[in-house]
Amino acid sequence: MSEALWISFAFTLGLMVKSIGLPPLVGYLAAGFALSGLASFTPVTVENTAFLDHVAHLGVLLLLFTVGLKLKLRSIFSPEVIGGGLLHFVITTVLIAPGILLILATDWQTALLLAIALSFSSTVLAAKVLESKRELRAFHGRVAIGILIVQDLIALVVMSITSGEAPSPWSLLVFGLPLLRPLLYRLLDASGHDELLVLLGLLLALVLGGIGFDALGLSSELGALIFGAMLANHPRAVELSRSLWSVKEMFLVAFFLQIGIGGLPDQNALIFALVAALLLPLKGALFFFLLLAFRLRARSSFLTALSLGNYSEFGLIVASVALPEWLIPLAIALSLSFVISAPVNRISHTLYERYSRRLTPYEGRRRHPDEQPISLGDTRILVMGMGRTGSAAYDRLAEEEANIMGLDSDPAKARMHLKAGRNVVFADAEDTTFWADVKMPNLKAVVLAMSDIEGKVIAARQLRHKGFNGYIIAHTMFADEAALIKEAGANEAYLTMNETGVALASHIDDYMSRNHRTH
């Protein structure tokens, strides 16, 4: 009976919240509180069970394992990521802890841990927002994910310290784990693409990482993260992460339900959450100015700060270990931050475009190496976005035109194309500062092949504002998006699937014509 209630409430409220553009996990938290309220006013018994607790823990382990799969050292070992992440953590903790100590009259340890919990940003929300906008590998997306990983590592250290568990002498075996990497790589290669791949992820995250580290007296959360990190450089790490995504999300529902079932928030919890929500602009502003100090442009700093301007589910995980009595106030604060952050991030590029004139004066004179302005030189045709569609367009056009260039917001992808012999450079076509600096004296035509509609609209608009009178063509999946792109200044916006159908039909026409001539 309990499980039926959990599933029903979680689905209903998750769907309601999703329909207004918020992450479903806000609905899962609300479902837990609704169940607590139901138990308060009706004879229905709703309580946390060992089963729910166990499933919630599995969700946390899978979350950390998938974080580990993204834990590539080259994405962390950069000044803006390590410096920005650590400085923000230290400054936030130092400023907030004394305020909590004075206002809430708690002991210093509780105040410190609460400040630490509020210093983290949401890996789940940021990853989902960036992934939905195809910006995980853009420069600001990589900086945001790198800072989140630094925060996750800090959270694990805090959890290990506060748990108070003494490790076993056998825990020294952990230092030999890198020797297992070749074996893990072979297992991943042999697992194929179906259910064995999912089972391998569960084996590593829950059995070897979770139970194995727990048996050694170490944090099971740390074990899940380490086993994920050991596979981070494998070519199929992304595929493994995606295969576990739905399983992880399902188990995490139990974690958020468990918090709400713990009891309804009182007045003090609501006041705490409201004050924490009011601090979000300051949290984002601190990220913005810190990243500017590391020579990032105003645009990259702004977009990264918006991605990180929320509170983290890791704060709840830390609280579940060290501050269980503060779980409900922190859960309400997390929900409010998602309610604010999610819709703001959906219009992040539009917001920057509107306020760029006020933000760019804060930039320093020296620029980050990945954000240098460029000149298009003798380029006559420009392809923006070098994914599959952009690459195919580039190769076809390069057969007739030597002065062609490609742009992509992923430096690694740009380098890959350069090695393949294509003239591709790193640049973010959605960056209004890029358009202000770029020189394009001989440009005649532009192909907009980026994946997101917002980027195509901004690029078309900026090209026309720049005085470009040449031909602009784009592709899209939807008719309403095609209208927006053309309204922004593009000459044509073709529907990708329609054009694919036409191309397939043309092959049939060619075959039928040849067959008719031979008979």
Side-chain angles (χ1 to χ4, degrees):
M1 180 63 179
S2 296
E3 289 80 2
L5 277 175
W6 297 339
I7 294 171
S8 301
F9 271 71
F11 175 78
T12 302
L13 290 174
L15 184 62
M16 290 172 60
V17 164
K18 185 178 184 294
S19 67
I20 59 175
L22 294 175
L25 66 84
V26 175
Y28 306 149
L29 283 167
F33 291 125
L35 287 167
S36 291
L38 185 68
S40 302
F41 300 106
T42 68
V44 176
T45 301
V46 177
E47 60 182 2
N48 191 14
T49 64
F51 172 76
L52 185 65
D53 185 65
H54 182 62
V55 173
H57 183 59
L58 296 183
V60 171
L61 294 182
L62 284 174
L63 173 64
L64 288 163
F65 180 74
T66 54
V67 168
L69 289 172
K70 301 182 180 74
L71 192 59
K72 296 183 180 180
L73 295 181
R74 64 176 180 269
S75 68
I76 297 178
F77 289 145
S78 62
E80 65 272 11
V81 169
I82 296 179
L86 290 178
L87 283 174
H88 191 278
F89 168 74
V90 171
I91 294 171
T92 301
T93 304
V94 168
L95 291 178
I96 293 180
I100 294 174
L101 188 64
L102 292 174
I103 296 172
L104 299 181
T106 63
D107 59 90
W108 70 268
Q109 185 176 358
T110 299
L112 181 62
L113 288 172
L114 281 174
I116 289 173
L118 293 175
S119 71
F120 302 138
S121 302
S122 173
T123 302
V124 170
L125 181 62
K128 285 187 174 181
V129 168
L130 291 168
E131 185 176 48
S132 67
K133 299 173 74 173
R134 304 294 190 272
E135 293 177 354
L136 271 174
R137 300 185 69 180
F139 180 69
H140 66 273
R142 290 184 293 111
V143 172
I145 293 299
I147 290 175
L148 287 167
I149 290 172
V150 170
Q151 291 183 345
D152 296 344
L153 293 174
I154 294 172
L156 284 172
V157 171
V158 173
M159 290 166 61
S160 299
I161 292 173
T162 55
S163 65
E165 296 179 359
S168 159
W170 292 100
S171 61
L172 295 175
L173 292 173
V174 170
F175 293 103
L177 283 178
L179 299 175
L180 293 178
R181 183 177 281 126
L183 174 61
L184 297 180
Y185 275 27
R186 289 185 182 179
L187 288 174
L188 184 52
D189 289 331
S191 296
H193 304 278
D194 299 314
E195 65 275 4
L196 277 177
L197 184 64
V198 178
L199 285 174
L200 175 64
L202 296 177
L203 172 69
L204 297 178
L206 308 182
V207 180
L208 298 181
I211 297 175
F213 269 57
D214 193 55
L216 296 174
L218 297 170
S219 165
S220 56
E221 289 84 1
L222 178 63
L225 182 80
I226 287 176
F227 270 92
M230 289 175 65
L231 293 173
N233 289 320
H234 192 282
R236 295 184 61 200
V238 174
E239 181 185 356
L240 177 58
S241 178
R242 288 175 179 169
S243 71
L244 291 171
W245 186 266
S246 296
V247 181
K248 176 200 69 179
E249 294 292 285
M250 182 179 67
F251 285 173
L252 278 176
V253 171
F255 177 76
F256 295 114
L257 273 175
Q258 182 187 48
I259 294 167
I261 290 174
L264 291 171
D266 56 20
Q267 184 178 358
N268 292 331
L270 293 174
I271 293 173
F272 173 86
L274 183 60
V275 172
L278 294 175
L279 293 175
L280 285 175
L282 297 178
K283 181 175 187 175
L286 180 57
F287 270 122
F288 176 74
F289 287 107
L290 282 173
L291 292 173
L292 284 177
F294 284 98
R295 297 186 294 155
L296 269 67
R297 286 184 176 181
R299 179 180 182 273
S300 295
S301 301
F302 180 79
L303 295 178
T304 304
L306 283 188
S307 299
L308 301 174
N310 43 62
Y311 296 122
S312 174
E313 60 282 349
F314 272 97
L316 300 184
I317 295 170
V318 171
S320 68
V321 174
L323 297 170
E325 69 277 12
W326 285 93
L327 257 180
I328 292 175
L330 287 170
I332 300 295
L334 173 77
S335 300
L336 286 178
S337 77
F338 280 18
V339 169
I340 296 168
S341 181
V344 168
N345 271 282
R346 280 204 303 274
I347 57 171
S348 57
H349 295 280
T350 304
L351 286 174
Y352 179 76
E353 191 176 9
R354 181 179 300 173
Y355 297 110
S356 59
R357 291 184 180 179
R358 299 182 184 181
L359 297 172
T360 50
Y362 293 107
E363 291 180 349
R365 293 184 179 180
R366 297 178 62 195
R367 295 279 173 83
H368 190 281
D370 281 344
E371 296 202 297
Q372 295 290 345
I374 66 169
S375 170
L376 301 186
D378 295 330
T379 299
R380 290 168 52 85
I381 299 177
L382 182 66
V383 180
M384 298 186 181
M386 290 297 292
R388 286 178 296 180
T389 302
S391 298
Y394 181 100
D395 291 341
R396 174 65 183 84
L397 291 167
E399 294 174 3
E400 307 292 336
E401 175 59 61
N403 295 323
I404 183 172
M405 177 183 286
L407 299 183
D408 200 274
S409 61
D410 182 357
K413 188 183 292 184
R415 289 192 292 269
M416 178 192 72
H417 283 296
L418 279 174
K419 290 180 180 178
R422 300 184 182 96
N423 180 27
V424 178
V425 298
F426 165 76
D428 195 335
E430 300 175 26
D431 186 351
T432 54
T433 308
F434 162 76
W435 290 113
D437 294 338
V438 71
K439 297 173 178 60
M440 44 187 187
N442 298 305
L443 192 63
K444 302 298 181 185
V446 178
V447 178
L448 302 180
M450 299 91 81
S451 54
D452 64 295
I453 173 63
E454 199 172 33
K456 294 169 189 172
V457 169
I458 290 175
R461 185 183 298 131
Q462 290 296 328
L463 279 164
R464 295 310 184 196
H465 285 175
K466 190 78 174 174
F468 176 68
N469 296 317
Y471 189 74
I472 302 175
I473 187 171
H475 80 94
T476 183
M477 298 289 289
F478 307 104
D480 57 338
E481 291 185 354
L484 289 174
I485 297 168
K486 292 175 73 174
E487 184 181 342
N491 298 89
E492 296 291 344
Y494 288 102
L495 297 177
T496 305
M497 300 309 294
N498 288 9
E499 293 302 306
T500 302
V502 171
L504 288 172
S506 68
H507 287 292
I508 295 295
D509 285 339
D510 292 342
Y511 169 77
M512 296 297 289
S513 298
R514 292 193 303 270
N515 189 57
H516 178 72
R517 287 195 299 269
T518 56
H519 291 82

